[in-house]
Amino acid sequence: MPEQKIMGENERKNYLEKIETVIQKGPFKDNWESLQQFEAPKWFHESKFGIFLHWGLYSVPAFNNEWYSRNMYIQGTEEFEHHVKTFGPQKEFGYKDFIPLFKAEAFNPKEWAQIIKGAGAKYVFPVAEHHDGFQMYKSSLSHFNAYEMGPERNLLGELKEACEEEDLCFCTSSHRAEHWFFMCHGKEFDSDIKEPLERGDFYWPSMEEPNHQELTSNPYPTREYLEDWLLRTCEIIDEYRPRLLYFDWWIQHEAFKPYLKKVAAYYYNRGAEWGSKVAICYKHDAFMFGTGIVDVERGKFAEVKPYVWQTDTSIAKNSWCYTDTLEYKTAKDIIYNLVDIISKNGNMLLNVGPKADGSFAEEDKKILEEIGSWLKVNGEAVYGSKIFRKSGEGPTKENEGQFTDNQSMVYTAKDMRFTVKGDSIYAFVLNYPENGEVTITSLAKSKDQNVPEFHGIIKEVSILGSEEVPEWTEDYEGLHVKTHTVHSNYPVVIRVKVA
């Protein structure tokens, strides 16, 4: 692949001026007041389920997790010891030396799109650039990208085309912000990360790792770095037109605030030009509330929210990228989580990590197929649904907050979650009882019509995916449903049609 021309100083300056022009001419300005005109796209709210994809150079060593590029330079870590033992000293074989080993020879974007669609997902979120600084797309800002090096293919562009052919909404994410410090520990000993480092170097800038709890910590990101981050992000927006853009952590640092406003205004104005509502997903209050979609990493809210939100989580408990030591969640646990999330006005973004060669691990495919099979039967209660007056009922309490979803939940036959659509209320019975007897207390006849729990007219009760017509009665204790042939290890959905 011939080397691509990289923007010179004048071209970079012109691009920055173009960004300002788009902001000034469009409906969104780079301030929080203007950005609060934002509304979450209807398609996102209706989609409910998407697939995240962590795939990059870190998939080559496939050891521990996707932070290999940082940890292999920290003396005393498992990654450091593994690297020396497996690949040799870091001064002789550094992280950059994984680039020619990343060949993606089995990457078939059409197959990926079919697997994702088969899982029941409606949108897809490949990582465009991770903390390691290797771009998975053709770029005019750095030579260190998959189009010029490694696979010598525009991986992001190919996947976008294949996914859109399958009617999947194409989105993408940038984790570039953390590259400010991500490779810094290689300067602490004799490795291939050496000063001077300048923009354009793969490891640049490798600054001292800050205190991540301090949002004003030093060393403070420089204007040069922040403008480079802005240009990289806007290049992704312009060249790949994602329907959603996701940012990982550390962009909440004070230094990024003016640039986040510019990116949001630029992106939302571009969306207006395209005639397509777009949105930014963010964590940690990086953006002002109401200017994007709140995201909770590996966790969720315990109660229903009046605003649309998302959780990003992974099919594995211990990594976002492929490794040979993945601890997988079960498809049932993932479905439980999905049901609970949508009952509270949320979406689930489920991550899968393909192998370095571009193939999916068999266990990943198996779990995705199981999820897809369940959604094929019960998707009516999921896609396009809205929240009920309450998210659910039952004795089991949910955990709230980040990094809380690795523990398997044990539900009872009384644990249910609700959605509504059209003329129907859907009750997801999380652990369907063997005797087929279910009571939905939230649909009990009201003794006091002035303060009703439920005061509607039930016309019909059915079970999604079953031909059996259930027996049902209603009284002051609840809606009683009885089946004889319904058995499942997954949540069973009772459809209650009302007048």
Side-chain angles (χ1 to χ4, degrees):
M1 182 68 62
E3 188 174 276
Q4 301 299 299
K5 184 177 183 298
I6 297 300
M7 283 188 193
E9 289 304 319
N10 286 337
E11 291 169 303
R12 293 171 70 91
K13 180 181 177 182
N14 290 339
Y15 201 168
L16 290 169
E17 290 175 354
K18 170 187 169 183
I19 292 168
E20 294 296 338
T21 300
V22 170
I23 293 172
Q24 293 307 313
K25 289 185 175 181
F28 291 92
K29 309 306 178 191
D30 53 342
N31 61 70
W32 294 136
E33 290 78 11
S34 176
L35 292 169
Q36 283 188 331
Q37 299 176 68
F38 165 84
E39 294 179 353
K42 182 180 179 182
W43 71 262
F44 173 76
H45 194 202
E46 293 179 343
S47 295
K48 306 301 181 184
F49 180 46
I51 294 294
F52 211 178
L53 295 162
H54 276 67
W55 185 45
L57 297 187
Y58 42 81
S59 305
V60 177
F63 184 82
N64 268 4
N65 57 51
E66 71 289 348
W67 277 36
Y68 189 88
S69 61
R70 170 183 178 269
N71 297 338
M72 65 170 274
Y73 289 107
I74 300 179
Q75 300 171 80
T77 64
E78 290 183 355
E79 289 87 347
F80 184 96
E81 301 300 331
H82 170 82
H83 189 86
V84 172
K85 180 179 179 180
T86 308
F87 304 103
Q90 286 82 344
K91 65 180 179 180
E92 297 174 9
F93 190 106
Y95 189 71
K96 69 180 185 306
D97 296 301
F98 286 118
I99 295 175
L101 302 182
F102 181 52
K103 300 177 182 178
E105 62 271 26
F107 174 55
N108 183 334
K110 290 186 177 182
E111 182 183 15
W112 279 33
Q114 290 166 357
I115 290 172
I116 292 164
K117 186 172 184 177
K122 298 297 185 182
Y123 58 103
V124 59
F125 247 113
V127 174
E129 180 180 350
H130 204 255
H131 314 325
D132 61 2
F134 188 76
Q135 297 162 298
M136 298 291 282
Y137 56 94
K138 182 180 179 180
S139 173
S140 61
L141 292 164
S142 168
H143 289 302
F144 291 94
N145 65 75
Y147 184 74
E148 293 189 52
M149 300 181 177
E152 297 187 350
R153 295 170 64 177
N154 186 350
L155 303 175
L156 194 72
E158 289 184 37
L159 186 58
K160 171 185 167 70
E161 182 178 351
C163 286
E164 290 181 342
E165 287 178 359
E166 293 289 347
D167 294 321
L168 294 164
C169 287
F170 182 82
C171 315
T172 195
S173 72
S174 170
H175 306 228
R176 171 71 184 183
E178 299 90 322
H179 193 68
W180 170 251
F181 60 83
F182 213 63
M183 318 290 274
C184 70
H185 298 286
K187 295 178 179 179
E188 297 169 0
F189 65 102
D190 189 11
S191 80
D192 66 328
I193 302 179
K194 293 177 169 41
E195 295 288 7
L197 292 172
E198 298 178 349
R199 191 183 71 232
D201 296 338
F202 183 42
Y203 297 133
W204 175 80
S206 296
M207 298 301 291
E208 180 183 345
E209 187 157 356
N211 180 346
H212 303 307
Q213 300 303 314
E214 297 294 333
L215 301 184
T216 59
S217 60
N218 287 312
Y220 210 79
T222 61
R223 178 176 178 176
E224 182 184 30
Y225 184 75
L226 293 165
E227 286 185 348
D228 184 72
W229 176 87
L230 176 64
L231 289 171
R232 286 178 184 240
T233 307
C234 290
E235 181 183 53
I236 293 170
I237 291 168
D238 288 335
E239 297 299 323
Y240 302 97
R241 295 193 177 190
R243 302 285 294 277
L244 295 176
L245 186 60
Y246 169 97
F247 292 113
D248 201 14
W249 65 291
W250 209 64
I251 59 165
Q252 71 270 23
H253 189 281
E254 179 185 50
F256 282 90
K257 292 295 183 178
Y259 297 87
L260 295 179
K261 296 173 194 177
K262 288 185 184 300
V263 158
Y266 185 80
Y267 183 38
Y268 292 169
N269 287 342
R270 279 300 199 205
E273 290 177 18
W274 306 330
S276 173
K277 275 196 173 181
V278 296
I280 290 173
C281 303
Y282 69 93
K283 300 185 294 191
H284 306 300
D285 291 303
F287 287 76
M288 182 63 186
F289 188 84
T291 64
I293 296 170
V294 173
D295 185 278
V296 183
E297 182 175 354
R298 288 190 181 270
K300 56 191 175 184
F301 295 113
E303 303 295 336
V304 66
K305 296 299 178 185
Y307 51 86
V308 179
W309 58 281
Q310 177 178 260
T311 182
D312 65 300
T313 189
S314 185
I315 202 167
K317 297 179 180 181
N318 58 335
S319 177
W320 292 84
C321 77
Y322 173 78
T323 74
D324 57 8
T325 56
L326 291 180
E327 299 172 16
Y328 283 98
K329 298 174 183 174
T330 66
K332 182 167 72 171
D333 283 339
I334 293 168
I335 292 168
Y336 280 155
N337 206 18
L338 173 64
V339 168
D340 186 65
I341 287 165
I342 66 170
S343 75
K344 295 167 182 171
N345 219 21
N347 280 31
M348 175 191 278
L349 181 61
L350 178 67
N351 178 75
V352 179
K355 295 181 177 181
D357 66 1
S359 63
F360 279 73
E362 289 304 314
E363 186 65 19
D364 288 324
K365 290 194 288 187
K366 176 177 177 292
I367 291 171
L368 292 176
E369 287 170 3
E370 287 185 59
I371 296 169
S373 296
W374 184 86
L375 281 167
K376 189 173 183 180
V377 172
N378 299 288
E380 169 186 329
V382 176
Y383 307 120
S385 65
K386 295 186 176 181
I387 55 174
F388 187 43
R389 67 175 67 186
K390 60 197 302 186
S391 62
E393 63 181 51
T396 305
K397 301 301 180 184
E398 297 285 349
N399 296 319
E400 177 166 294
Q402 296 186 102
F403 305 102
T404 58
D405 71 0
N406 272 357
Q407 182 179 355
S408 297
M409 299 295 292
V410 179
Y411 295 105
T412 72
K414 295 181 179 180
D415 288 305
M416 301 178 205
R417 300 292 180 266
F418 302 114
T419 62
V420 298
K421 186 168 67 175
D423 62 359
S424 299
I425 301 166
Y426 297 93
F428 297 76
V429 185
L430 298 180
N431 186 358
Y432 201 77
E434 282 296 319
N435 63 10
E437 297 179 1
V438 174
T439 297
I440 307 173
T441 60
S442 297
L443 299 183
K445 293 178 69 173
S446 178
K447 294 180 180 179
D448 181 357
Q449 66 182 31
N450 293 320
V451 191
E453 173 77 350
F454 177 75
H455 201 58
I457 302 170
I458 297 175
K459 303 292 290 185
E460 181 184 304
V461 177
S462 59
I463 309 294
L464 295 189
S466 174
E467 296 182 357
E468 179 183 356
V469 178
E471 304 164 12
W472 61 275
T473 59
E474 52 180 328
D475 57 26
Y476 295 134
E477 301 299 321
L479 172 64
H480 305 284
V481 180
K482 172 69 176 178
T483 62
H484 300 278
T485 61
V486 177
H487 303 283
S488 179
N489 290 323
Y490 302 105
V492 170
V493 181
I494 300 174
R495 179 188 180 190
V496 181
K497 186 175 182 180
V498 298

